Amino acid sequence: MKKQFYILLICFLATPFLFSQQNSIKIKAELDVEKDELKIQQEIIFQNTSDSILNNIYLHNWANSYRDRKTPLSKRFIKDFKKDLYFAKEKDLGSSSIKSLSVNFENVTYNELKNQADVINIDLESPLLPKSKVNISITYIVKIPNARFTKYGKTKTGYHLRNWYITPAIYNDGWHFMSNLNLDDLYEQGTDFEIEINVPKNHIAESNLYRYETKKEKHNNYLFVGKSKTDILLGINKTSQIKTFTTKTVTVHTDVFSEELDFNLTTSILNRELLFIQKYLGKYPHVEIYIDKATSSKNPIFGLNQLPKFLRPFSDTFKWDIAMFKALTKRYIENTILLNKRKDYWLIDGIQNYLMIEYIEKYYPEVKLLGNASNSWFLKRFNISKLEFNDKYPFIYQFTARKFLDQALNTSADSLSNFNRKIVSKYKAGLGFRFLKGYVGDSILNQTIQEFYQNNQLKIINGNSFYKLLSSKTTKNLDWFFNDFVKTNKKIDHTIKSIKTKKDSISVTIKNKRNITTPVAIYALKGEEIKLKKWISNVDSTKTVNFKKGDYDTFVLNYENLYPELNTLDNWKKVEKKIFHKPVKLSLIKDVSSPNYNQLFYQPDLSYNFYNGLILGMKLHNKPLIKRNFDFKVAPYYATKSKSVVGQFALLYDHFFEETKLYKISYGLVGSTSDYAPNLAYKSLIPYVDIIFKRKTLRDVSTESLRAKLVHINKDVAPSAIETDQDNYSVFSLSYNYSNPDIIKEFRYSFNTEFAKNFSKAALDLRFRTLTSTDTQLDFRFFAGVFFKNNTNGDYFSFGLDRSNDYLFQLNYLGRSESTGFFSQQYIITEGGFKSVLPTRFANQFMISNNSSIGLWRWLEVYNDVAFLKNKNHPVYFAYENGVRFNFVHEIFEIYFPFYSNNGWEISQKAYPQKIRFSLSADIKSIYNFFRRGFL
């Protein structure tokens, strides 16, 4: 072992001429486990490989990105609704403290970039000429952060480090420096490493470099070396975390292994995977490859890794195989192709996901998207159970694109929404390579990929290199792919407009429904068998293609889902015309749309209110899993307590915009009937228009909208009562709404006006919630409402101090007419926002109120409210109250205990339990939106 290492080390040190333009890094480090610190002396030999004269050098110091809440990493986490780093204790933070820095053994001026604590600028005393080099010496201490932030740092078993050392930025037509944003995309040049580290006696150091260990009296000494390496990982634990598998191509070191698979089977699978990758990419330039669990877990197989363990629709072999294949292809490519992954990530993602698709097709063609669950008695009747595992790529893309939430592939990775960055853009890139395979031919594409990989190993390149190479191997025009497909989020969407049968031929007219011109794949089928396949180019509007008559009955576009398309349901056309081209089919719950049927979905539904009791019924709708522009719903119910039929219906059409500041306009009509009091029902009919504006970016979580609606209400009247204007009325409402649900500083406001026959009024509802530097929540709300005209009698249309009358029937009250009892204690923050019931509860002229609360400990908060109410012929009434709020889930589940108000000390008064109020939201959409924050 020693002999082999020395031979390796001699070769490493004795052949610098082979890598004369290579940067090199030498590190001497010592681990202090008491302080969680690495004390480092580092030497960087930086080569100016450009044709430019450099007056400064930039260094990446990503270990410093954990320093405080002002770093780009901390701010990025806040945008992702993660506040762990922002409020972390001092002992959990990380930093990189530089003690000295010199260039060519002379002290120089250096500084952190403004607002980028993890990037260092060095001003050179003498310009660095092309093909010249400098020696940069740095002494610094790295405080290791807690691994819970990014999975790198101090773990439960020791340390798992990534981006822990200082490394030069790349100069290539300008400096390419970037801050750590938890994207694992540090742009490094291939570098020769020599790292010597001392660790405590009972610790073991492991890395993705060659290792030599020397055990000494008080510590263990490790020497790690490697040529043309990037992204050096370092693990230090009391026990070895790594298993080694020797295959026919490379040696795999990994802590990603399955206890259910034995060593021989694991080795066999790894061997198959690496041979497959080598077939497409060619030989790997290193003899070893390192796969770590932390990095692998941050790039999971979505839809597979997220399933709980008790659900096992996939075999252990399949799960481990494709998870490891994904990790291997990522390392195989990223360790070799030196692209700026923040800008050209699409190329790496495209090759990786293309290989994933090919691997699944070769070795697991029978695996369904839902795995073995597809054969269950319940699921096998659904279309989604028929989808192959690879069908997830066009399915997920279409799911996002139909909502117009996808982004161009050349969008910088730090500007992508999390859903696009983690899933959609990767899938679209993989489908893009599948598109190229179908269009130019698999031999041309595969040859290009391999040549691109082999010819550019450890070279600084960009995505344009692949474009030039592929274009040189085909006469077909590929501008549509590298321009519109990569650089825009234009959607592909074609349909078969018509089929005309002639004596000996068939004419098929293809229509392009969108603003992108790409090749189109058309198929002729006999049943499900492909009889003919042809690529059609230049379909910019419509194009008619003639085919000889043959043994086929259907023409289909994009039958094999070779490219991502906005809508594939209208891609099918029968040769023989039929009266009912697509018969109606009823399906249970939601499903994937079928091109052969017009589907209607039905699903059981239940709800509850105090007057109707348990409400049971069935919803009939046309909403599949992937959104469509026109939706309708009809939902009849039977109420068990009132023994009556209630229900609702809804019609909605979404009109999306791509080139304007508008995101979409929604036109809707909803109607419903339910009980609002014992044995008394109401009917509502509401036509409305919503105008939703685009966000500045898809990473911006703020929303801005306008809503206009006309609410018609018709209420039943008790037999002994006389119908009044409060029982049959119409109200026109116009509102503007803005929301920015930031996790640290949330700001929302709405301005609403209402016009009716006997009144008109306006109201402003403004809410601000912030977290202080000690993670204390401060909550403020301001409400102001005024009547312009009020000729009504009573307080039915008045502003409510503690409870809105909700005459528009838009709040989810369980017992909306109750004045006593449990259901009267339900609280929904609106209008006055008070919790105590005071002598003056309504205002028919104006109301101004302020609601505030301050956090004490976890969910416990103290609230204080004040308000001014004005009623006709009465002086202004001043209202006040305070109490304690248990804010378990903000605006979803809260409990209020009033203490003191205009009523005096409420806690000492009789029937105090009846004064307690609670918020309980049964709105599934609100709950879903709360928990999905930061992902979409």
Side-chain angles (χ1 to χ4, degrees):
M1 178 67 188
K2 281 188 176 182
K3 184 178 180 181
Q4 291 175 341
F5 174 78
Y6 284 125
I7 293 173
L8 174 67
L9 187 59
I10 291 171
C11 291
F12 177 80
L13 298 175
T15 56
F17 59 89
L18 294 176
F19 297 90
S20 59
Q21 296 301 311
Q22 192 92 331
N23 289 345
S24 67
I25 290 178
K26 290 185 179 181
I27 290 175
K28 288 187 176 182
E30 182 176 339
L31 174 65
D32 185 337
V33 295
E34 298 296 326
K35 296 181 179 179
D36 297 326
E37 290 181 347
L38 276 175
K39 298 175 182 178
I40 299 174
Q41 290 180 321
Q42 179 172 338
E43 179 184 78
I44 302 172
I45 305 298
F46 176 78
Q47 305 272 357
N48 181 4
T49 58
S50 72
D51 295 326
S52 302
I53 298 174
L54 304 181
N55 294 305
N56 62 340
I57 295 174
Y58 289 95
L59 304 176
H60 286 123
N61 186 22
W62 278 21
N64 208 35
S65 58
Y66 304 88
R67 186 176 69 185
D68 54 41
R69 63 186 51 170
K70 296 180 181 179
T71 65
L73 178 62
S74 183
K75 293 176 181 178
R76 175 81 178 192
F77 279 140
I78 291 301
K79 291 297 183 182
D80 292 339
F81 288 86
K82 298 176 182 177
K83 58 181 182 178
D84 285 1
L85 180 57
Y86 193 88
F87 291 115
K89 296 178 181 178
E90 185 71 25
K91 66 181 181 67
D92 291 330
L93 294 174
S95 63
S96 177
S97 177
I98 296 178
K99 302 303 180 182
S100 66
L101 190 153
S102 63
V103 175
N104 290 336
F105 308 102
E106 297 288 340
N107 291 331
V108 293
T109 302
Y110 67 91
N111 61 281
E112 295 177 359
L113 295 192
K114 185 178 180 181
N115 300 321
Q116 288 183 280
D118 50 3
V119 179
I120 299 170
N121 172 46
I122 300 175
D123 293 321
L124 298 176
E125 296 291 335
S126 302
L128 184 61
L129 301 177
K131 315 308 177 186
S132 299
K133 63 183 178 180
V134 292
N135 182 309
I136 304 172
S137 298
I138 316 170
T139 302
Y140 59 107
I141 298 176
V142 171
K143 167 65 172 61
I144 301 172
N146 193 300
R148 76 173 188 267
F149 308 128
T150 61
K151 297 185 183 295
Y152 309 119
K154 183 179 181 180
T155 66
K156 292 180 180 179
T157 60
Y159 305 91
H160 184 68
L161 306 182
R162 188 179 189 185
N163 307 136
W164 54 278
Y165 54 90
I166 294 175
T167 185
I170 287 177
Y171 186 91
N172 183 25
D173 295 327
W175 284 104
H176 296 259
F177 56 83
M178 58 186 68
S179 284
N180 182 12
L181 299 178
N182 194 33
L183 303 179
D184 294 342
D185 60 351
L186 180 60
Y187 191 23
E188 293 181 90
Q189 185 171 331
T191 302
D192 296 341
F193 282 92
E194 182 182 323
I195 300 173
E196 184 180 353
I197 183 169
N198 293 327
V199 302
K201 190 70 175 174
N202 59 343
H203 285 66
I204 298 171
E206 296 168 306
S207 177
N208 53 335
L209 298 173
Y210 299 110
R211 182 181 74 164
Y212 181 72
E213 177 184 5
T214 303
K215 293 185 178 181
K216 298 189 176 181
E217 183 178 350
K218 294 184 179 180
H219 62 265
N220 293 333
N221 176 270
Y222 290 88
L223 180 63
F224 296 99
V225 295
K227 285 185 177 180
S228 303
K229 293 282 191 174
T230 62
D231 194 10
I232 306 306
L233 292 96
L234 181 64
I236 305 173
N237 299 276
K238 291 186 177 180
T239 59
S240 177
Q241 305 293 305
I242 303 299
K243 284 186 178 182
T244 299
F245 300 91
T246 303
T247 73
K248 295 179 181 178
T249 54
V250 300
T251 299
V252 179
H253 305 287
T254 183
D255 58 350
V256 182
F257 43 81
S258 173
E259 299 295 339
E260 287 80 10
L261 306 183
D262 64 36
F263 186 86
N264 291 333
L265 178 58
T266 300
T267 304
S268 176
I269 293 172
L270 285 170
N271 195 62
R272 183 178 75 180
E273 291 175 347
L274 287 163
L275 287 173
F276 184 90
I277 296 171
Q278 183 173 288
K279 174 186 173 183
Y280 281 84
L281 299 181
K283 189 176 180 180
Y284 187 62
H286 306 294
V287 296
E288 297 177 307
I289 194 166
Y290 181 94
I291 307 296
D292 66 301
K293 186 184 298 183
T295 306
S296 178
S297 66
K298 293 175 72 171
N299 296 276
I301 306 291
F302 283 94
L304 181 66
N305 300 63
Q306 290 71 34
L307 291 173
K309 289 186 178 180
F310 67 87
L311 293 177
R312 293 183 175 269
F314 301 97
S315 69
D316 294 327
T317 302
F318 174 77
K319 288 193 297 183
W320 189 85
D321 189 357
I322 63 170
M324 179 54 76
F325 183 83
K326 182 175 183 180
L328 272 176
T329 52
K330 184 177 178 65
R331 281 293 183 198
Y332 206 100
I333 298 169
E334 290 185 353
N335 289 353
T336 309
I337 302 299
L338 304 183
L339 288 163
N340 187 331
K341 290 181 282 186
R342 197 159 290 185
K343 293 182 178 180
D344 286 324
Y345 63 87
W346 71 268
L347 184 55
I348 291 177
D349 286 345
I351 296 174
Q352 182 194 33
N353 282 277
Y354 171 66
L355 293 182
M356 286 282 295
I357 293 171
E358 296 285 291
Y359 188 77
I360 293 292
E361 282 189 351
K362 181 173 179 61
Y363 293 110
Y364 298 102
E366 77 289 350
V367 175
K368 300 294 184 182
L369 180 61
L370 301 181
N372 297 331
S374 296
N375 299 320
S376 67
W377 68 270
F378 179 73
L379 291 175
K380 66 182 180 181
R381 69 190 72 183
F382 291 93
N383 291 327
I384 193 171
S385 69
K386 299 178 177 62
L387 295 182
E388 308 293 341
F389 193 83
N390 276 341
D391 287 334
K392 69 177 182 175
Y393 293 93
F395 178 79
I396 294 297
Y397 166 78
Q398 199 174 89
F399 175 83
T400 308
R402 293 286 285 273
K403 295 181 179 181
F404 288 77
L405 296 176
D406 59 314
Q407 293 171 276
L409 288 179
N410 71 332
T411 304
S412 179
D414 56 334
S415 297
L416 291 171
S417 71
N418 285 338
F419 192 57
N420 281 324
R421 180 177 62 84
K422 294 177 180 179
I423 306 177
V424 181
S425 291
K426 294 177 184 291
Y427 286 9
K428 181 184 177 183
L431 287 171
F433 273 77
R434 202 179 189 207
F435 198 172
L436 289 173
K437 171 190 173 183
Y439 182 57
V440 303
D442 56 353
S443 60
I444 292 177
L445 178 65
N446 293 343
Q447 181 185 351
T448 302
I449 291 174
Q450 185 168 117
E451 191 173 322
F452 175 77
Y453 183 85
Q454 292 298 315
N455 292 348
N456 293 293
Q457 289 185 357
L458 304 172
K459 295 179 181 178
I460 303 297
I461 56 171
N462 56 46
N464 196 47
S465 303
F466 185 80
Y467 170 44
K468 291 179 179 178
L469 182 61
L470 182 60
S471 297
S472 69
K473 295 185 178 300
T474 179
T475 57
K476 295 181 177 179
N477 183 8
L478 300 177
D479 290 347
W480 58 270
F481 181 85
F482 291 95
N483 289 325
D484 280 350
F485 188 87
V486 170
K487 297 180 180 179
T488 75
N489 67 338
K490 292 179 179 180
K491 281 82 173 160
I492 302 170
D493 193 12
H494 299 91
T495 186
I496 297 178
K497 185 177 180 181
S498 63
I499 293 180
K500 294 183 179 179
T501 304
K502 300 178 182 179
K503 186 175 181 181
D504 56 355
S505 65
I506 298 175
S507 296
V508 181
T509 300
I510 303 170
K511 180 181 179 181
N512 186 349
K513 297 163 62 179
R514 303 292 301 174
N515 58 346
I516 179 174
T517 303
T518 66
V520 183
I522 187 168
Y523 301 76
L525 307 181
K526 178 68 174 181
E528 296 183 355
E529 183 184 357
I530 298 174
K531 293 291 187 178
L532 182 150
K533 174 183 175 182
K534 186 175 183 180
W535 283 94
I536 310 299
S537 301
N538 302 318
V539 185
D540 55 354
S541 56
T542 61
K543 191 169 188 176
T544 300
V545 185
N546 294 316
F547 297 89
K548 288 184 178 181
K549 276 191 174 181
D551 185 24
Y552 33 77
D553 52 30
T554 308
F555 280 92
V556 186
L557 304 178
N558 197 16
Y559 178 67
E560 296 174 290
N561 281 321
L562 294 179
Y563 47 88
E565 194 169 2
L566 186 66
N567 179 22
T568 54
L569 295 179
D570 57 0
N571 285 5
W572 298 60
K573 202 89 171 179
K574 294 287 186 181
V575 174
E576 296 182 5
K577 295 181 179 179
K578 295 184 178 180
I579 297 176
F580 297 105
H581 178 58
K582 289 185 179 182
V584 176
K585 179 182 179 181
L586 288 173
S587 301
L588 180 63
I589 316 180
K590 287 186 177 183
D591 195 6
V592 175
S593 297
S594 169
N596 299 316
Y597 300 97
N598 289 311
Q599 287 175 285
L600 293 179
F601 305 99
Y602 63 94
Q603 63 188 79
D605 196 17
L606 65 88
S607 59
Y608 173 86
N609 71 59
F610 183 56
Y611 311 111
N612 294 117
L614 193 62
I615 303 169
L616 306 173
M618 191 75 67
K619 287 195 297 188
L620 182 69
H621 61 89
N622 73 328
K623 294 188 285 187
L625 290 174
I626 297 179
K627 184 176 179 58
R628 61 173 75 225
N629 284 35
F630 175 70
D631 295 333
F632 73 83
K633 176 182 72 174
V634 178
Y637 300 100
Y638 177 74
T640 57
K641 182 177 180 181
S642 61
K643 301 187 185 305
S644 59
V645 176
V646 296
Q648 54 187 256
F649 76 90
L651 304 173
L652 173 66
Y653 179 77
D654 287 330
H655 182 195
F656 291 92
F657 296 85
E658 294 183 76
E659 306 297 332
T660 70
K661 292 184 178 181
L662 296 181
Y663 170 56
K664 70 175 179 178
I665 297 180
S666 299
Y667 307 90
L669 176 67
V670 296
S672 65
T673 179
S674 185
D675 285 12
Y676 70 94
N679 301 313
L680 295 175
Y682 76 91
K683 300 178 182 65
S684 68
L685 184 66
I686 308 172
Y688 68 91
V689 176
D690 283 342
I691 301 175
I692 295 97
F693 297 93
K694 283 181 180 171
R695 294 176 275 173
K696 293 178 182 178
T697 70
L698 287 185
R699 286 197 56 78
D700 178 14
V701 294
S702 64
T703 58
E704 186 180 10
S705 64
L706 286 169
R707 165 169 279 206
K709 63 181 179 181
L710 183 59
V711 182
H712 301 283
I713 301 293
N714 189 352
K715 296 164 56 181
D716 290 346
V717 180
S720 59
I722 300 174
E723 185 175 296
T724 68
D725 291 341
Q726 298 178 9
D727 301 313
N728 194 333
Y729 53 89
S730 298
V731 179
F732 175 73
S733 171
L734 182 63
S735 62
Y736 170 81
N737 303 280
Y738 174 83
S739 173
N740 184 10
D742 187 88
I743 196 171
I744 301 298
K745 294 184 178 180
E746 178 180 352
F747 181 60
R748 292 184 287 167
Y749 68 91
S750 63
F751 180 74
N752 180 65
T753 59
E754 293 177 4
F755 302 92
K757 179 180 179 182
N758 293 322
F759 74 89
S760 60
K761 63 180 181 178
L764 172 68
D765 187 324
L766 187 151
R767 308 183 190 196
F768 177 71
R769 183 185 60 82
T770 185
L771 296 175
T772 68
S773 59
T774 57
D775 202 10
T776 299
Q777 178 166 295
L778 302 178
D779 207 340
F780 302 95
R781 177 178 176 269
F782 174 79
F783 174 82
V786 61
F787 278 91
F788 303 126
K789 180 183 74 170
N790 190 357
N791 297 328
T792 63
N793 296 316
D795 286 318
Y796 184 71
F797 297 104
S798 298
F799 296 112
L801 181 64
D802 65 274
R803 184 178 171 99
S804 168
N805 280 320
D806 191 29
Y807 50 85
L808 298 182
F809 292 87
Q810 61 187 8
L811 301 177
N812 190 23
Y813 282 120
L814 298 174
R816 62 178 59 249
S817 298
E818 297 304 290
S819 57
T820 61
F822 177 76
F823 291 105
S824 70
Q825 295 172 243
Q826 184 183 3
Y827 173 77
I828 298 176
I829 186 167
T830 182
E831 297 185 347
F834 267 55
K835 295 80 185 172
S836 299
V837 178
L838 304 184
T840 300
R841 300 184 65 187
F842 300 97
N844 58 29
Q845 280 193 300
F846 71 80
M847 176 188 289
I848 299 173
S849 72
N850 179 73
N851 315 118
S852 63
S853 66
I854 181 171
L856 297 180
W857 176 80
R858 300 187 71 178
W859 318 292
L860 183 61
E861 301 174 8
V862 172
Y863 68 82
N864 291 277
D865 302 330
V866 295
F868 297 91
L869 288 74
K870 181 63 174 72
N871 286 287
K872 295 177 183 178
N873 304 319
H874 289 82
V876 173
Y877 179 75
F878 176 64
Y880 58 90
E881 67 168 358
N882 61 48
V884 169
R885 171 168 77 166
F886 285 87
N887 187 0
F888 296 112
V889 183
H890 190 57
E891 295 187 355
I892 293 178
F893 179 42
E894 304 172 347
I895 302 177
Y896 298 85
F897 294 87
F899 280 5
Y900 188 77
S901 70
N902 297 66
N903 297 328
W905 285 101
E906 301 208 27
I907 197 170
S908 63
Q909 296 173 5
K910 293 182 178 180
Y912 179 74
Q914 298 178 18
K915 298 176 181 289
I916 299 171
R917 305 290 292 274
F918 66 90
S919 291
L920 181 62
S921 175
D923 184 357
I924 300 299
K925 184 176 180 181
S926 297
I927 297 172
Y928 167 72
N929 287 337
F930 178 85
F931 287 105
R932 74 166 185 168
R933 297 178 308 170
F935 187 69
L936 298 179

